[in-house]
Amino acid sequence: MNYKAIIFDLDGTLVNSIQDLADAMNTVLKKHHYPIHNYETYKLFVGSGIRSLVIRALPFKNPNDAEVDECLSEMMEVYNNHCTIKTHAYSGILELLDILNSKNLKLNIFSNKDETLTKKVADAILPKYFHHVLGLTSEALKKPNPDKALNLIDKLGLKPEEVIFIGDSNIDIQTAKNANMLAVGVSWGFRDKQELINEGADYILDKPIELLDIL
């Protein structure tokens, strides 16, 4: 297959953002005198958007909506001001993106992070690489719902089978399969390789440069 575009997940795939996310949420938890969590635990909390992260971080099984809304608002404010302090591109990502651009592939991002924050991080860490940068605009449209990904490739004038979808979690693999795109997992992200295998990833990359073997 002659692939013409790639859709990347952001956090855990292109950038390691776990420390900034965790630090922001822990700031909120400390304010409310709740227990905080370490970075490894936060790797299990992320992937489904910041609202889900907040719910998972709070010390209740079923936190009420008012508490979630309050902590979410505080988390968004703190994270917005600190989302690029410790966040950085994974080793080999910038080199890969340069090569992909030289091949005239259309590169895109689709994240479950709030869209404004997704664009802020992408602009700061990975400027000028991407045709479209999409984030979360409503809970109904977050991954693994493929609608935004399908709308994106429609704008590019492409078919799903011409697109590779790359991410680090089961949600990303589900999204790829729901969109009928090639599902590629990465083992350097926030989840373990077995999760990607269990979800049925078509390929799993151990290093960014290995994507060229698929192309």
Side-chain angles (χ1 to χ4, degrees):
M1 172 57 65
N2 182 21
Y3 295 104
K4 297 178 180 177
I6 301 172
I7 301 176
F8 290 94
D9 171 51
L10 179 63
D11 302 87
T13 301
L14 295 172
V15 302
N16 187 344
S17 55
I18 202 67
Q19 293 183 346
D20 283 334
L21 285 163
D23 290 351
M25 189 65 223
N26 279 342
T27 297
V28 174
L29 294 173
K30 288 176 185 177
K31 177 182 176 182
H32 290 263
H33 306 289
Y34 294 149
I36 63 172
H37 309 282
N38 61 33
Y39 293 146
E40 288 302 310
T41 300
Y42 274 103
K43 290 180 180 180
L44 303 176
F45 290 169
V46 299
S48 299
I50 291 181
R51 185 179 184 85
S52 293
L53 183 156
V54 170
I55 291 171
R56 292 165 180 166
L58 288 172
F60 316 107
K61 270 196 172 181
N62 297 295
N64 64 65
D65 288 342
E67 175 116 42
V68 172
D69 290 343
E70 179 182 1
C71 291
L72 174 61
S73 177
E74 294 171 357
M75 164 64 175
M76 291 288 283
E77 181 177 358
V78 175
Y79 184 62
N80 182 58
N81 293 325
H82 300 86
C83 62
T84 60
I85 292 177
K86 298 178 180 178
T87 296
H88 58 275
Y90 283 103
S91 177
I93 287 295
L94 296 178
E95 294 84 351
L96 174 66
L97 295 177
D98 284 331
I99 294 170
L100 297 177
N101 268 340
S102 74
K103 294 179 178 293
N104 296 315
L105 286 154
K106 296 176 180 177
L107 308 182
N108 310 273
I109 291 174
F110 179 23
S111 171
N112 272 345
K113 191 200 297 284
D114 173 83
E115 187 158 282
T116 300
L117 292 169
T118 297
K119 290 180 176 180
K120 185 172 183 177
V121 171
D123 286 345
I125 311 297
L126 307 164
K128 301 179 181 178
Y129 283 110
F130 300 99
H131 280 70
H132 297 282
V133 177
L134 305 179
L136 186 65
T137 52
S138 77
E139 288 290 313
L141 292 175
K142 74 180 180 181
K143 298 180 292 185
N145 185 332
D147 287 355
K148 292 185 78 166
L150 291 170
N151 184 56
L152 186 160
I153 64 166
D154 188 55
K155 288 180 180 178
L156 295 175
L158 300 177
K159 300 174 183 178
E161 57 266 27
E162 297 175 307
V163 181
I164 300 173
F165 197 108
I166 302 177
D168 70 308
S169 74
N170 61 334
I171 290 173
D172 295 306
I173 302 305
Q174 290 168 16
T175 307
K177 290 184 174 297
N178 290 342
N180 293 315
M181 300 174 185
L182 188 74
V184 176
V186 305
S187 66
W188 59 78
F190 299 156
R191 305 297 175 81
D192 62 36
K193 195 170 183 176
Q194 192 60 48
E195 177 173 303
L196 303 170
I197 294 170
N198 292 345
E199 205 58 51
D202 295 310
Y203 296 91
I204 299 176
L205 309 179
D206 292 319
K207 296 179 181 178
I209 199 68
E210 292 174 0
L211 178 61
L212 300 183
D213 295 334
I214 298 173
L215 295 169

